[in-house]
């Protein structure tokens, strides 16, 4: 397969909930090694696009190719396929520790040793030890290793967002999908997050949904803009910034928000 082929290729995806067409022939290519931003007003279908790629939502029609092969994953197969995502919000186990939450993201690796673990084999112990070590490395790289034993619920939101990222990173995904990673973060935390994601791009391809425009514009190589379930623009941040259709879509949202 040619190297230039997109890592992820979603073609003409259609998704409807009841009578509502939430995605209408949405096509998105994610090139290897790029950071692709998916932006658009509230309700545009961004999370639904992620859910469809991840197999949480079945499209009515359309195709998804991952690494050139058809992708119809069940959600529990994602990490094994090389895809990890963070959820809009947190999606952590609040009463587990930071370390346990991150280890949960490596579940497929742990599970392969489950039977061996029942037999208490030294091999399974070694494997578990490796996963813990790897989780600590991930926490270290996110600057929160000191929080490893703490219960998530007791930690500030910004730290918990990093834990969620750590949980996605431990599986060493080839495609990392982040749904509003900067939501609820302070300005400093947002800048730090952009740095972290930039640092990941040597190892993984990133798809990110975000409302925070400065974050998106500074971080992403390419942007896709959704509005009412349709792609209304795609291009570099500079191209998108001046696109009249995009400006109109966001103006509509501003007016709505102002009226509310
Ligand atoms: N499970 C569902 N059942 C019915 N409607 C849904 C469901 N999930 C999403 N929707 C609707 O689909 C549309 C798109 O939702 P989606 O969550 O994908 O938008 P979004 O672009 O992620 O918005 P936001 O920026 O607010 O997160 C919305 O109108 C939403 O109400
Ligand atoms: Mg969303």
């Amino acid at each position: 397969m040619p190297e230039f082929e997109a890592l992820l290729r979603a073609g003409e995806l259609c998704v409807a909930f009841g009578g509502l067409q939430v995605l209408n022939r949405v096509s998105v290519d994610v090139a290897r090694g790029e950071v692709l931003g998916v932006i658009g007003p509230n309700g545009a279908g961004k999370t639904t696009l992620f859910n469809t790629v991840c197999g949480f939502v079945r499209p009515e029609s359309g195709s998804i190719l991952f690494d050139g092969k058809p992708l119809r994953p069940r959600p529990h197969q994602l990490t094994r396929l090389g895809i990890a995502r963070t959820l809009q919000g947190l999606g952590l186990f609040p009463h587990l520790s930071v370390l346990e939450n991150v280890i949960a993201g490596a579940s497929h690796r742990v599970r392969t040793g489950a039977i061996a673990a029942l037999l208490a084999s030294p091999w399974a112990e070694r494997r578990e030890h490796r996963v813990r070590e790897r989780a600590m490395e991930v926490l270290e790289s996110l600057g929160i290793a000191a929080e490893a034993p703490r219960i998530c619920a007791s930690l500030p939101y910004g730290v918990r967002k990093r834990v969620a990222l750590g949980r996605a990173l431990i599986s060493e995904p080839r495609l990392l999908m982040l749904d509003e990673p900067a939501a609820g973060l302070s300005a400093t935390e947002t800048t730090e997050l952009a740095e972290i994601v930039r640092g990941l791009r040597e190892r993984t391809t990133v798809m990110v949904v975000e409302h925070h425009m400065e974050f998106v514009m500074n971080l992403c190589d390419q942007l896709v803009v959704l509005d009412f379930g349709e792609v209304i623009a795609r291009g570099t941040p500079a191209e998108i910034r001046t696109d009249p259709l995009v400006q109109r879509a966001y103006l509509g949202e501003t007016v709505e928000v102002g009226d509310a």
Side-chain angles (χ1 to χ4, degrees):
M1 184 187 322
E3 255 309 295
F4 53 80
E5 188 159 336
L7 178 62
L8 182 80
R9 170 161 280 188
E12 305 262 308
L13 289 178
C14 288
V15 170
F17 293 124
L20 185 67
Q21 195 70 40
V22 176
L23 295 182
N24 190 12
R25 302 177 68 190
V26 168
S27 298
V28 176
D29 275 4
V30 191
R32 289 164 208 278
E34 82 172 347
V35 180
L36 177 97
V38 181
I39 64 171
N42 289 115
K46 306 179 295 295
T47 297
T48 304
L49 174 62
F50 272 26
N51 284 341
T52 309
V53 170
C54 292
F56 290 100
V57 168
R58 286 258 173 253
E60 295 174 301
S61 57
S63 62
I64 307 172
L65 294 179
F66 182 64
D67 211 4
K69 297 182 206 72
L71 179 73
R72 290 197 69 178
R74 291 172 186 249
H76 69 269
Q77 298 169 330
L78 282 174
T79 47
R80 198 167 350 128
L81 289 167
I83 300 174
R85 74 178 288 190
T86 63
L87 298 174
Q88 190 168 343
L90 285 167
L92 295 173
F93 301 109
H95 303 298
L96 294 186
S97 72
V98 166
L99 183 66
E100 286 162 338
N101 265 284
V102 173
I103 286 174
S107 56
H108 75 292
R109 289 170 183 227
V110 178
R111 208 179 312 124
T112 49
I115 292 172
L118 281 176
L119 303 171
S121 83
W123 177 80
E125 267 174 42
R126 268 204 308 279
R127 187 166 197 106
E128 198 187 315
H129 183 73
R130 265 213 309 278
V131 172
R132 290 175 83 84
E133 253 178 19
R134 176 73 196 123
M136 284 308 297
E137 281 166 17
V138 168
L139 289 172
E140 198 93 49
S141 73
L142 296 172
I144 51 171
E147 317 290 353
R150 305 208 29 209
I151 297 299
C152 272
S154 69
L155 293 167
Y157 193 77
V159 177
R160 284 186 276 160
K161 278 295 244 193
R162 278 194 197 196
V163 178
L165 179 57
R167 191 172 63 176
L169 287 176
I170 193 174
S171 63
E172 295 175 23
R174 295 162 66 202
L175 177 66
L176 175 66
M177 304 178 75
L178 307 173
D179 196 348
E180 302 203 17
L185 298 187
S186 69
T188 315
E189 286 168 337
T190 303
T191 311
E192 286 170 2
L193 176 69
E195 255 336 287
I196 289 171
V197 178
R198 227 173 262 127
L200 294 172
R201 49 188 309 169
E202 281 163 24
R203 284 182 279 151
T204 181
T205 301
V206 180
M207 229 177 143
V208 56
V209 166
E210 194 38 79
H211 285 287
H212 194 300
M213 277 306 132
E214 202 189 318
F215 176 87
V216 160
M217 293 288 171
N218 289 331
L219 176 66
C220 298
D221 302 301
Q222 291 284 321
L223 294 175
V224 167
V225 189
L226 286 179
D227 191 24
F228 292 111
E230 298 197 6
V231 175
I232 59 163
R234 60 183 100 230
T236 62
E239 287 162 349
I240 294 300
R241 211 188 286 273
T242 53
D243 187 301
L245 276 180
V246 177
Q247 286 173 355
R248 200 179 314 152
Y250 276 98
L251 184 67
E253 189 185 52
T254 311
V255 171
E256 250 178 54
V257 170
D259 286 343

